[in-house]
Amino acid sequence: MKKTYKIEVDCANCANLMENAACKTEGVQNATVNFMTQKMIVEFAEGHEPKATMEKVLSACKKVEPDCEIFL
């Protein structure tokens, strides 16, 4: 299942760091962050709940970019 989320990130490098952090999160099969459109597309692994997984993604992203925001 794929879902698109609105994000708030300050620079392209930060977006790249967020993308890498999201991809490494358990339950995420693939993630893409687009700085220009301020969107994150997340493909969830089979059997993982999107809401719980996105809370983990947000936590992982805040470790690399503390002022980022993902609107769940």
Side-chain angles (χ1 to χ4, degrees), residues 8-46:
E8 191 174 291
V9 62
D10 297 332
C11 68
N13 185 51
C14 298
N16 188 43
L17 293 173
M18 285 178 61
E19 183 175 301
N20 290 338
C23 285
K24 293 177 184 175
T25 303
E26 181 185 349
V28 175
Q29 187 170 332
N30 191 28
T32 306
V33 175
N34 188 316
F35 170 68
M36 295 301 288
T37 62
Q38 297 281 297
K39 294 196 187 294
M40 174 186 276
I41 300 170
V42 180
E43 187 175 349
F44 299 97
E46 190 72 33

